[in-house]
Amino acid sequence: MAKETCASRETSTASSSASVDTIKQPGMSFTQIIHEKKMKFTITALVFFASLSSFSATAQSTRDLASAVRTLGAEAHLTASASLADVDGDGDLDILFAEGRHWPQQNRIFLNNGSGVFNRVRHLGDELATSYAARSADFDGDGDLDVVVGNDRVRNPIFWNDGQGLFSIGPSIGSLRSNTRNITIADLNGDDLPDIIVVNRSEPNTIHFNLGNGFTDGTTIGTGNDATIQIVAADFDADGDIDLVLVNRQGEANTLHWNDGSGRFPASIVIGSGHDRSRAAVAGDFNGDGRIDLAIGNIEEPNQLFFSTIDGFVAGPLFGRSTDATYSLTAVDLDLDGDLDIVAGTANAENAAYYNDGSGTFSEERFGDVDHVTYGIAAGDVNGDGYPDLVIANSGAANLLIINIARQ
């Protein structure tokens, strides 16, 4: 178990006495509502960990992630991420693959026929690019989902949707030659418009506010030279606005940045040891206390949970193996028992599902191929049976669709 530590704010920020925040996870049928007064309280780490959190490999889940596996496409690509979205407006989830990483490849859209079969594929854009992420939101407010692509040392374009899943290229976001590794979408200033955060490795991360008819040039967040791989957006302090966690790869500190409500982030704290090599993170209420917690995926050390408090995070249990290199994390209720499970994508090790028993106790189950390098996992119900399925984005091997079925 990790050393119990408690993080607190470096500077104070304005906060409301009550707040409401709604967070939706793909494939989940419930909505988290946080509405609480902020009060100072203390809790001993011993009681906290004994009652709320542990990981084990003893219990077997009711779900089977190994028996209904389908290949998506006939060839192996250098896929860096997968996401699920209904891009053609027909009521089911389609798949967006960002391809290439450092080498130009064609980004692709796999269209769902409504039953979880993806036998139609469209190209996203005409040119090949060094893509790491493709994320969707209705940026122009016309009722359909547009897509922004994050590229390595190439412009990051926005693609406008015509409502039928056909896209035309629009403006670009961020620097023309930035080391973009991810894209995060969130309403950071409370105007109900989706803003774009460009995640750059060893260059400044930039926030681009949606003006309704375009985006701002960008303001920076972070030190400017951290090797940031992912930025997680969630209301960690329950004050009604979206905060940001910066996940850094090369031993720089992972940091939580509090939003002052206007999209500015004047206060921050360090999460973890301050020198973890992290590549992934995901937010969610993992212990059922109504607050948004954080799971961080690491390289050459176990992953770790951090439980949210009024002033920051308390270090929770480790999970995974020290030999794992965790490249992606997803939080989803795989077994529909009302709590969040965690799915981890790894490099050169089996992927893992961590099933939550509702009290913060998790059991590990491994699945997949030990030789695969999984850069991304997306979760959502693609076949309409009510259970969230998994899309596995592999670099150098075929991408996979795992249908979440009952264990026999």
Side-chain angles (χ1 to χ4, degrees):
M1 182 170 292
K3 178 181 179 181
E4 293 92 0
T5 59
C6 185
S8 60
R9 299 185 189 223
E10 293 175 352
T11 62
S12 61
T13 57
S15 62
S16 60
S17 60
S19 63
V20 177
D21 178 44
T22 303
I23 293 183
K24 296 181 180 178
Q25 294 288 346
M28 295 170 60
S29 59
F30 65 89
T31 303
Q32 283 180 297
I33 303 293
I34 300 173
H35 188 185
E36 61 176 327
K37 291 183 179 295
K38 289 191 171 183
M39 299 180 296
K40 293 294 181 182
F41 67 92
T42 60
I43 182 168
T44 66
L46 178 60
V47 173
F48 189 89
F49 292 124
S51 62
L52 294 181
S53 58
S54 66
F55 279 81
S56 68
T58 56
Q60 188 178 57
S61 77
T62 60
R63 309 308 298 171
D64 181 354
L65 302 180
S67 298
V69 181
R70 307 171 186 173
T71 299
L72 294 167
E75 300 176 351
H77 291 252
L78 299 174
T79 308
S81 74
S83 59
L84 287 162
D86 183 10
V87 298
D88 55 1
D90 63 353
D92 53 43
L93 292 174
D94 309 304
I95 303 172
L96 294 166
F97 283 125
E99 313 277 12
R101 296 172 44 230
H102 305 297
W103 300 271
Q105 289 189 343
Q106 178 66 62
N107 296 320
R108 298 173 296 162
I109 304 170
F110 282 68
L111 297 174
N112 193 339
N113 72 355
S115 62
V117 175
F118 297 84
N119 48 17
R120 297 169 57 212
V121 179
R122 291 177 181 167
H123 290 173
L124 180 63
D126 295 327
E127 66 181 24
L128 281 62
T130 51
S131 299
Y132 269 88
R135 311 298 184 197
S136 60
D138 185 6
F139 295 119
D140 54 4
D142 64 352
D144 52 44
L145 292 176
D146 311 302
V147 176
V148 58
V149 176
N151 294 320
D152 180 38
R153 298 185 178 274
V154 183
R155 64 176 183 162
N156 300 319
I158 294 175
F159 290 89
W160 303 121
N161 193 342
D162 70 350
Q164 305 297 316
L166 298 173
F167 292 87
S168 57
I169 195 167
S172 60
I173 294 290
S175 169
L176 293 179
R177 292 181 176 84
S178 59
N179 294 316
T180 300
R181 292 297 183 268
N182 219 322
I183 296 287
T184 300
I185 299 171
D187 177 13
L188 298 178
N189 56 2
D191 63 357
D192 295 324
L193 297 174
D195 307 310
I196 296 174
I197 307 137
V198 178
V199 183
N200 294 318
R201 179 180 176 181
S202 303
E203 292 182 4
N205 307 303
T206 54
I207 297 171
H208 302 266
F209 292 102
N210 191 338
L211 302 175
N213 58 357
F215 289 85
T216 60
D217 289 338
T219 57
T220 63
I221 184 166
T223 67
N225 56 8
D226 290 338
T228 308
I229 298 297
Q230 185 177 357
I231 293 180
V232 178
D235 185 4
F236 291 106
D237 56 359
D239 65 349
D241 52 45
I242 299 298
D243 311 303
L244 298 177
V245 168
L246 275 60
V247 180
N248 295 312
R249 170 179 173 171
Q250 292 180 321
E252 307 95 342
N254 299 320
T255 51
L256 165 62
H257 299 254
W258 276 287
N259 194 338
D260 68 1
S262 67
R264 294 189 296 267
F265 298 84
S268 65
I269 61 169
V270 172
I271 307 170
S273 69
H275 51 77
D276 300 301
R277 295 184 62 206
S278 305
R279 285 200 64 138
V282 67
D285 179 10
F286 296 114
N287 57 10
D289 66 351
R291 300 188 67 88
I292 304 303
D293 310 308
L294 186 71
I296 293 183
N298 297 315
I299 306 169
E300 298 176 353
E301 60 179 302
N303 310 316
Q304 189 162 17
L305 277 176
F306 294 87
F307 293 103
S308 179
T309 71
I310 289 292
D311 294 311
F313 290 104
V314 173
L318 305 175
F319 66 100
R321 304 167 186 172
S322 60
T323 55
D324 286 347
T326 299
Y327 278 24
S328 60
L329 291 175
T330 298
V332 62
D333 187 2
L334 285 171
D335 48 8
L336 297 189
D337 63 351
D339 51 50
L340 281 176
D341 310 305
I342 299 173
V343 185
T346 64
N348 299 316
E350 290 178 304
N351 296 326
Y354 298 92
Y355 290 93
N356 193 342
D357 72 353
S359 68
T361 298
F362 291 78
S363 356
E364 175 192 276
E365 287 188 14
R366 294 277 166 160
F367 67 93
D369 194 316
V370 68
D371 295 323
H372 287 176
V373 179
T374 300
Y375 268 76
I377 297 178
D381 180 12
V382 301
N383 59 358
D385 68 350
Y387 282 89
D389 309 298
L390 300 176
V391 178
I392 309 297
N394 291 319
S395 182
N399 298 320
L400 302 174
L401 171 64
I402 297 178
I403 300 300
N404 182 358
I405 63 174
R407 189 179 300 278
Q408 300 299 317

